[in-house]
Amino acid sequence: MDTFKALLITRDEATKAQAVGEATLSAADLMPGDVDIRVAYSTINYKDGLAITGRLPVVRRFPMIPGVDLAGTVVASASPDYRPGDEVILNGWGLGETHLGAFSQMARVKADWLVPLPEGFTLQEAMAVGTAGYTAMMAVMAIEAHGVGFDQGQVVVTGANGGVGSIAVALLSRLGYQVAAVTGRSQHPDYLIGLGAGEIIDRAEFTGAPKLLGKERFAGGVDAVGGTVLANLLAVTKMHGAIAACGNAGGMELPTSVAPFILRGVSLLGIDSVYAPKARRLAAWARLARDLDRDKLAAMTTVIPFSGIVPAAHDIVAGKVRGRLVVEIG
């Protein structure tokens, strides 16, 4: 391509006001890297919504092409690991934050950031999984490694209608866990029940002033919300249970005490999916290929056009998006 379209975020340095719009770029506009990719699909994640709306300082340099996930085909490579025609995916590594991102027909990235398209996935399915699903899988693997078994009682997923939450519910239920899904949209339970949730809990139960400890309730879980919700969740986690934390939609602060940790031996497992080493990424994608029900993935996925990125970004920050959004870059 001599030129290609991309979504570009610019900023007025005097006022710090952001502007977002479609731009026509050329290869000379791309940042250094050793692999050029024709992007076929991307996704809308919560972080993308924050970047485009400017709600949090996600973007670290301007101008910036947002988008933290991509799936596409190699068109040129200076790396021995990839050659033209290879289908690849990329999640994280500062894409859309410090390095020009995925909402573009072309991307130039470092070969070390890439993962070959996992066997059994199409490019579109890989983006239906995206950072959200890959993060959910890493969270599930973390509580498994901690020893939270499906025979130890109910596990919980917060933010269950979102991307991470939806895939976490589907994964845990398929692995045999009894899943309680916490959501602010509990009046529409059919979606989560279809993914495998056995109980739907209104998020309001976890938004009050945190207690030091409450009645033991969950053997473990995946938290995609943070803030007060996570604090209340830790207070009702069973002895020696574990919560994998991977989101901050409910805030960056954690208003809790040491009580769950020193009186019940509860563990808080932090999940970093942005800079996870390649071996861990490959393991997570291998588990997704094995353990994720493709019919459930399809049921939670909506495909939108390039022109729908900005409205979808506003919707996801406002909590109006359910499941996964795949962007057809085109």
Side-chain angles (χ1 to χ4, degrees):
M1 273 188 203
D2 294 329
T3 61
F4 55 89
K5 70 178 179 180
L7 191 69
L8 200 64
I9 303 176
T10 56
R11 183 173 72 173
D12 184 312
E13 291 305 319
T15 65
K16 305 302 182 184
Q18 285 191 189
V20 184
E22 187 175 318
T24 300
L25 305 178
S26 69
D29 295 308
L30 295 174
M31 294 175 68
D34 45 10
V35 181
D36 285 4
I37 300 165
R38 173 68 184 266
V39 182
Y41 295 96
S42 185
T43 69
I44 302 286
N45 294 291
Y46 189 74
K47 183 181 282 187
D48 300 316
L50 294 175
I52 289 172
T53 62
R55 285 278 296 274
L56 282 178
V58 170
V59 176
R60 307 298 176 85
R61 68 175 297 278
F62 295 91
M64 174 56 68
I65 300 171
V68 305
D69 288 330
L70 66 78
T73 304
V74 173
V75 295
S77 175
S79 167
D81 295 331
Y82 298 99
R83 59 186 180 182
D86 288 348
E87 293 183 315
V88 294
I89 60 174
L90 196 162
N91 309 110
W93 291 112
L95 206 68
E97 300 176 66
T98 57
H99 193 93
L100 295 179
F103 298 154
S104 169
Q105 290 177 314
M106 293 294 296
R108 180 176 294 143
V109 301
K110 295 181 180 180
D112 290 344
W113 297 349
L114 296 169
V115 170
L117 180 69
E119 187 174 352
F121 282 106
T122 65
L123 291 172
Q124 181 176 312
E125 286 177 326
M127 288 297 95
V129 174
T131 286
Y134 146 72
T135 302
M137 187 74 255
M138 291 183 72
V140 171
M141 291 167 65
I143 65 171
E144 286 179 333
H146 187 80
V148 178
F150 58 83
D151 57 345
Q152 294 178 5
Q154 195 176 47
V155 295
V156 63
V157 175
T158 66
N161 270 296
V164 173
S166 293
I167 294 183
V169 170
L171 286 168
L172 288 165
S173 65
R174 183 160 184 174
L175 291 168
Y177 289 88
Q178 304 170 44
V179 183
V182 177
T183 176
R185 290 172 274 179
S186 58
Q187 67 273 27
H188 303 295
D190 291 351
Y191 170 76
L192 291 170
I193 291 172
L195 294 181
E199 181 183 2
I200 312 297
I201 302 173
D202 195 298
R203 185 176 58 206
E205 291 190 30
F206 293 91
T207 56
K211 299 177 181 179
L212 294 180
L213 288 173
K215 183 179 179 181
E216 292 179 72
R217 188 170 180 181
F218 304 114
V222 175
D223 172 65
V225 177
T228 299
V229 170
L230 176 56
N232 278 309
L233 190 58
L234 290 166
V236 296
T237 300
K238 290 182 177 181
M239 186 78 70
H240 302 136
I243 302 296
C246 57
N248 65 343
M252 295 290 285
E253 295 183 358
L254 183 57
T256 189
S257 72
V258 298
F261 310 114
I262 65 173
L263 298 180
R264 287 185 180 161
V266 171
S267 293
L268 179 59
L269 311 175
I271 305 300
D272 163 40
S273 60
V274 176
Y275 297 107
K278 192 166 185 176
R280 194 176 301 168
R281 292 169 181 265
L282 292 171
W285 279 101
R287 284 290 304 274
L288 284 159
R290 188 187 81 188
D291 296 331
L292 182 59
D293 186 313
R294 302 303 170 78
D295 290 336
K296 290 182 178 179
L297 180 64
M300 70 177 78
T301 301
T302 302
V303 180
I304 65 172
F306 189 93
S307 60
I309 293 174
V310 174
H314 284 269
D315 284 345
I316 200 167
V317 171
K320 297 178 181 179
V321 171
R322 185 174 72 179
R324 299 289 294 130
L325 293 178
V326 172
V327 180
E328 189 169 24
I329 300 298

